[in-house]
Amino acid sequence: MSQLAQAMIVNAAVLAAVLHTDLGRARKIGPMRILRPLAVSAGIIPLFVDRPVTHGTGLTLELVGIVAGLLGGLAALLLMDVHRSPETGRPVSRAGLPYAGLWIVVIGARAAFSYGSAHWFSASLTRWCIAHQVTAAAITDALIFMAVAMLLVRTVGLAIRAARLPVPATATVPQVA
């Protein structure tokens, strides 16, 4: 499978997983909501990353991808509200168009770069890669690490925010004798 096809599959998987689970007014935050994206992330790395670069500009590029993913995940968390459902008292989230827009823009930009690197600016990218001793695999890995980091930060942040919600006032606390 080509690196372009791999990048597009990762982009589609991440976008579908996030939008399917997060968009809406009262999306339940339970074990499956947290475990599903973690499973997607755990599956992406061994399937699409053969050997991450461990030195030079390629490593720097991969680290930049991770940092960009961390920042994107934090931005996504800021666009999502986490609260307790008034009906059930259980943690739920609310995410709307700004949240969806962030994910679509980020993943669309990654997809456009991937496509462009194969069709629009492949010659100039090849010259840059040769000049900086960066392999195409390192660029692909950086994009994959960005997607996975963004998904993980969003997921772990969602779990932390849900766990930190105050206990509803109607809950009873057992008395210790």
Side-chain angles (χ1 to χ4, degrees):
M1 181 181 311
S2 75
Q3 291 178 337
L4 176 60
Q6 290 177 8
M8 294 303 182
I9 289 169
V10 170
N11 287 332
V14 170
L15 185 60
V18 168
L19 295 183
H20 178 271
T21 58
D22 290 348
L23 286 184
R25 291 188 193 182
R27 301 299 299 214
K28 181 178 134 187
I29 302 172
M32 285 309 296
R33 172 100 181 266
I34 302 303
L35 294 176
R36 188 177 309 121
L38 296 177
V40 168
S41 297
I44 286 173
I45 296 296
L47 282 175
F48 297 108
V49 177
D50 289 330
R51 286 181 291 206
V53 179
T54 59
H55 64 282
T57 307
L59 174 62
T60 302
L61 196 59
E62 290 173 347
L63 293 174
V64 166
I66 292 169
V67 170
L70 295 173
L71 294 174
L74 290 172
L77 279 172
L78 290 174
L79 294 173
M80 184 184 292
D81 178 47
V82 178
H83 59 279
R84 289 199 181 275
S85 167
E87 293 85 22
T88 65
R90 301 189 76 104
V92 295
S93 68
R94 178 177 39 237
L97 289 178
Y99 180 85
L102 171 70
W103 282 96
I104 290 167
V105 165
V106 168
I107 290 176
R110 275 199 315 260
F113 176 82
S114 295
Y115 185 84
S117 68
H119 300 286
W120 299 329
F121 49 84
S122 59
S124 58
L125 182 60
T126 299
R127 284 191 299 275
W128 182 86
C129 286
I130 291 169
H132 294 91
Q133 299 178 345
V134 175
T135 64
I139 294 172
T140 301
D141 292 352
L143 293 171
I144 291 169
F145 292 155
M146 178 186 175
V148 169
M150 191 169 172
L151 184 61
L152 288 175
V153 167
R154 190 278 295 162
T155 302
V156 171
L158 183 64
I160 290 169
R161 287 177 66 190
R164 290 185 175 173
L165 288 173
V167 177
T170 58
T172 58
V173 178
Q175 297 294 325
V176 178

